[in-house]
Every structure is written in C-alpha cells, then in structure tokens.
C-alpha cells in the first residue's frame, strides 16, 4: 500500500466523517499550494502540467465560469483555448527533454498517453473548482440561515420547520451529491496518475455503486488493515482490493486503457 487517499473528493471539507481518521492524504491536482486545511497533499507523479501551467488552466476555467454567469456565449471564451495552449507547451517541452536525454523522439503510443494525461489533469482541476463552488454554496446557505432566516420570516413563524437551516450549528449541512463530479469520471482520470496499490477512502455511495455494478463485496478489515488505514475505534471499515476496470463495472480488462489494470484498495467509510 503506497498511500491512503481521500477519494473522490479533493476538498476534505466534503468528508466530515474522515476527521477522526489518521494519516490519510488529500489528492492534489497539481496546482500551486493553497495553504489547505492542514492535511498533507498527495501529488502523484506523471502530471503533465507544471504548477504554473495548472494555475493558468484553472484561471481559464474561472474565466469561462464568469463568462457563462455574465451571459457571454461560451464559444467566445472557451476554457480549452488557454488549456490547449498550456497542453501544447507541456507536450513540446516534454518532447524536447526526451530528445535531449535520448536523442530520440516520442515512442509510439506516447502521444496518446500524454493527451490522456493532459485531459485527466484538466478534469481533476475542473473537479477541484467545482467542489470549491459547492462548498461556497454550502457556506452561503449557512450564513443565510439562523437569526437571518428568523428575521426574514418574522416573529412567531415556524423557523424550526426549516431543519438544519434554522440552527446551522446543530448539524453540518449536507452537500447534494448530484452537484459533485461523478465518482466514475474521477476514478477513470485518477487511475492515470495514482500508483498501483493505493488505498482509497471512498464514501458509502461510491461503495454501493461498486457493489451493484461490479459485483464487488466489501469485507470487514482486520486490525492490521484498520491500523494501516488509520481507522478510528468503532468506525465502519470494510475493504475490497480490486482492479480499476472492475470497480468501474467493466466485465473484463480494457486493452485500450492499461491504467485500469491497476489494483487499488477501496475502503468504505460512512458518516458517524
């Protein structure tokens, strides 16, 4: 087992049930350091973008987001324009480095792999931005609740009928999973970069999907495994060690996707 990684969420704030777990890492999409939440970032090898190029890609995505909110046609400001420039620069630099090392150009199939990794990192950056926006919406709901809600409705109104919005401190506001990137898309892209044998702390919905579509059984972890995963006492800890293609619900390995042959340890976690 090479690393224990929170997955598929890139922002740990979306997984409050992991607060008591020890030693896990947050998958990082290669952006410049943001200070974070104190959890150690895990930046896999193989990202095609440098931190600067990844930041430019994120900037372009934010520009497209702002344009869409302003009513500007997306065709006039495509996120792929800046991303494609950065991708071409990264590809050209890698070809130059390879030629200087070996005197040879890219090997057959190398270009396809490079393009897949360019797309894969861009998807992870997009997911990071989307999660950031979802967290902002959650915070907005929290700030526009409680006493503000009571003031808007007037005295005597049944504020308690609004559940957690009436008292946001009483329980964490849940995030609608439909607003987050699909876990299958995240797994397809992350498999390009995560090392074989990585342990992924997955939420219950993802584990249920794997069980239903891939006929996968999560079994209780023994004490040694629980210790390696950093599971707190009393926490649900069921694991399945399976290749990516099976986790995705495929019936057999897919030759055109060799990274799907990697085997990960999927550990099911649930809110307390």
């Amino acid at each position: 087992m090479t690393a224990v990684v929170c997955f598929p969420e890139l922002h740990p704030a979306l997984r409050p049930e992991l607060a008591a777990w020890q030693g896990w890492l947050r998958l990082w999409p290669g952006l410049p350091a943001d200070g974070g939440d104190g959890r150690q970032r895990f930046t896999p090898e193989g990202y095609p973008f440098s931190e600067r190029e990844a930041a430019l890609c994120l900037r372009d995505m934010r520009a497209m987001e702002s344009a869409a909110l302003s009513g500007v046609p997306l065709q006039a400001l495509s996120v792929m324009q800046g991303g494609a420039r950065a991708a071409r620069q990264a590809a050209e630099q890698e070809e130059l480095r390879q030629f200087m090392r070996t005197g040879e150009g890219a090997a057959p199939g190398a270009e396809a792999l490079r393009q897949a990794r360019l797309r894969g990192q861009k998807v992870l950056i997009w997911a990071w931005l989307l999660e950031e926006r979802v967290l902002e919406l959650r915070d907005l709901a929290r700030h526009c609740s409680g006493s503000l809600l009571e003031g808007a409705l007037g005295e005597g109104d049944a504020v308690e009928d609004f559940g957690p919005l009436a008292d946001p401190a009483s329980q964490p506001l849940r995030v609608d999973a439909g607003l987050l990137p699909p876990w299958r898309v995240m797994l397809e892209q992350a498999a390009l970069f995560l090392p074989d044998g990585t342990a992924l702390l997955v939420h219950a919905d993802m584990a249920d999907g794997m069980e239903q579509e891939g006929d996968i059984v999560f079994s209780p972890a023994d004490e040694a495994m629980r210790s390696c995963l950093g599971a707190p006492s009393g926490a649900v800890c069921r694991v399945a060690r399976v290749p990516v293609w099976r986790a995705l619900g495929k019936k057999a390995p897919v030759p055109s996707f060799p990274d799907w042959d990697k085997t990960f340890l999927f550990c099911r976690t649930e809110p307390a």
Side-chain angles (χ1 to χ4, degrees):
M1 208 162 52
T2 58
V4 179
V5 178
C6 169
F7 192 84
E9 292 80 6
L10 307 182
H11 289 74
L14 292 168
R15 297 285 296 282
E17 76 270 18
L18 292 182
W21 291 64
Q22 303 295 320
W24 55 269
L25 309 173
R26 55 187 299 214
L27 179 59
W28 189 245
L31 295 164
D34 65 345
D37 61 351
R39 290 288 182 182
Q40 184 178 355
R41 290 184 297 271
F42 179 67
T43 305
E45 296 181 359
Y47 280 153
F49 292 127
S50 66
E51 286 190 353
R52 178 180 175 277
E53 291 165 340
L56 289 174
C57 186
L58 177 62
R59 183 199 64 184
D60 290 339
M61 291 180 181
R62 284 177 168 153
M64 185 186 74
E65 175 186 61
S66 298
L69 292 174
S70 302
V72 176
L74 293 186
Q75 292 85 348
L77 185 63
S78 171
V79 68
M80 295 306 175
Q81 290 177 354
R85 285 195 298 270
R88 285 195 300 271
Q89 291 172 1
E92 290 167 0
Q93 290 172 2
E94 176 58 27
E95 287 181 357
L96 179 59
R97 285 193 291 266
Q98 180 172 333
F99 180 77
M100 293 177 66
R101 288 195 306 267
T102 66
E104 300 176 353
E111 178 61 21
L113 176 60
R114 180 166 50 246
Q115 290 300 323
R117 287 179 171 170
L118 288 169
R119 288 191 299 271
Q121 189 176 3
K122 282 191 280 188
V123 169
L124 295 180
I125 294 171
W126 163 78
W128 187 91
L129 176 61
L130 182 57
E131 289 182 4
E132 184 180 73
R133 293 296 178 258
V134 169
L135 287 170
E136 289 172 355
L137 286 173
R138 186 182 69 176
D139 290 342
L140 179 62
R142 180 179 290 113
H143 293 153
C144 293
S145 59
S147 58
L148 179 60
L149 178 62
E150 186 172 2
L153 295 176
E155 264 185 54
D157 289 321
V159 175
E160 63 273 8
D161 292 343
F162 284 80
L165 285 178
D167 181 10
S170 64
Q171 56 181 305
L173 296 178
R174 297 296 180 188
V175 171
D176 183 353
L179 298 176
L180 298 173
W183 67 262
R184 292 173 184 81
V185 173
M186 294 293 289
L187 182 57
E188 289 173 4
Q189 309 310 318
L192 293 166
F193 308 108
L194 290 173
D196 192 34
T198 300
L200 302 179
L201 302 182
V202 304
H203 52 63
D205 289 344
M206 178 172 171
D208 287 342
M210 291 172 57
E211 289 178 330
Q212 293 168 7
E213 295 190 17
D215 194 25
I216 293 168
V217 177
F218 282 76
S219 304
D222 58 27
E223 285 305 313
M225 181 65 69
R226 290 179 62 90
S227 178
C228 289
L229 293 170
S233 176
V236 173
C237 190
R238 293 165 54 205
V239 297
R241 193 186 299 273
V242 294
V244 172
W245 59 264
R246 191 174 171 199
L248 291 171
K250 308 300 180 184
K251 302 304 181 185
V254 184
S256 56
F257 295 92
D259 286 290
W260 290 3
D261 286 338
K262 292 178 181 176
T263 296
F264 296 154
L265 178 70
F266 298 88
C267 174
R268 178 188 182 121
T269 68
E270 297 183 6

